Amino acid sequence: MIKLLYFAGLREALGVPAEALALPAGVDTVGTLRAHLAARGGSWQVFATSRSLRAAVNQAMAGMEAPVGSGDEVAFFPPVTGG
Amino acid sequence: MIKLLYFAGLREALGVPAEALALPAGVDTVGTLRAHLAARGGSWQVFATSRSLRAAVNQAMAGMEAPVGSGDEVAFFPPVTGG
Amino acid sequence: MSVSVQKADFDVGAEIAALSAGDDGAGAVASFVGLVRGAGIDAMTLEHYQGMTEKSLAEIVAEACHRWNLRRVRVIHRVGRLLPGERIVFVGVSSSHRRDAFAACEFVMDYLKTRAPFWKKEEGAAGAKWVDARESDDAAASRWEPGGG
Amino acid sequence: MSVSVQKADFDVGAEIAALSAGDDGAGAVASFVGLVRGAGIDAMTLEHYQGMTEKSLAEIVAEACHRWNLRRVRVIHRVGRLLPGERIVFVGVSSSHRRDAFAACEFVMDYLKTRAPFWKKEEGAAGAKWVDARESDDAAASRWEPGGG
């Protein structure tokens, strides 16, 4: 299981702030996780189409190749705009 | 007549904060005024020897060639160290 | 080296005083306050990623302490709903000399703007809208990278 | 665009608040506080050239307003005898965006250090001594000249 978090405009578009997910076979990186989520269709296709979406694994910014494994906390969000 | 002002270490070295001076013939720039003051001898020789001494004419920084005339306020001082 | 993420406002004068209190080696305190601008908006709501936000701010501060000779650093970032004119963020840095304090303060703001997980949503006459990230913020942050700027 | 030369201390929080009060276009306030450092000194006395000091500070502020897009600028410089830890100088700048505020604030400090007629005398165990001008201050100021830095 991993913990998934969505923030800001992405959270609103998906209509869900968080979920627990059993990692399917073959999903072991941020990139493969994105493809898995995009395959849900509808508003989830943003995971395939957005070029600006950012990811963090265990609260550290992570690229597409970053490994994802059981127990991890994975977050997706738009570019940050604080300050 | 001009008004002469001295500040900080220069004021202490000369022992005088200010004076009124009737401009002698030939004294018409900061440079010639410095030479005139240096000619007083003693601690006034600093006007000939110091390379760091700064001058202001009518409260604006002024170089050696800046004109000095009757009614002007001329100040000499070390490099500034505020802030 | 203290970081806070909070709903409450903060006391700028007290924060700046605390950066040099009891430290007579602190000759310079540079600080920054970011405010909600009123241009066409009625309010702004700041969302954040609790946990990661504090962690990323602490990392930014640690990086600043690594790059410059600093004495104390303080970062406060508010979350929740704020009105025009309200304070959003405070960054304060004390050091022996001003150059380090200025550079570190601006560095922390530039990195915060591009690396700390906060998101702004503006409410205006036309409804609510998430603020887009600005390319100028990426450019500002990249000035501090090797070969940047 | 207000400049003060005074013996009295000042209220940093109030000065910073005043830089954006009633101005909802001010999104950024950068500020600097300079303090008396205690390294081997018991006290510091600041002498100034009354009249020229205010004039030169006003010119520096005007130059900053010419170079950057600023909303308000405040400069306060104390004179007289100050103890370690006491505030000497405040520079605060408000603008729409942080880049202008940071740059202008540092510029005003760099120019103030090399162009405003103040002189510091330190009192220590070995007596009183006028502070020498620092080459690093000239270098800092020259960064802002064409071809400088």
Side-chain angles (χ1 to χ4, degrees), chain A residues 5-13 54-62 73-83, chain C residues 34 46-52 55 77 88-89 109 112-121 130-133 138:
Chain A
L5 299 170
Y6 312 111
F7 289 96
L10 178 65
R11 171 179 56 74
E12 287 187 345
R54 303 289 196 267
V57 175
N58 297 325
Q59 306 190 348
M61 292 287 189
E73 174 177 305
V74 183
F76 291 101
F77 42 79
V80 306
T81 56
Chain C
L46 274 141
E47 177 171 330
H48 78 300
Y49 180 175
Q50 196 176 349
M52 180 171 167
K55 185 168 170 272
H77 201 297
I88 305 170
V89 61
M109 274 306 303
L112 183 158
K113 281 257 182 192
T114 54
R115 301 191 174 198
F118 293 101
W119 300 273
K120 282 176 180 158
K121 189 178 195 176
W130 290 97
V131 174
D132 285 329
D138 286 330

Side-chain angles (χ1 to χ4, degrees), chain D residues 72-87:
Chain D
R72 296 180 192 162
V73 182
R74 178 81 171 115
V75 178
I76 309 172
H77 201 297
R78 293 176 72 190
V79 292
R81 190 165 183 270
L82 300 173
L83 302 178
E86 282 201 83
R87 285 177 276 269

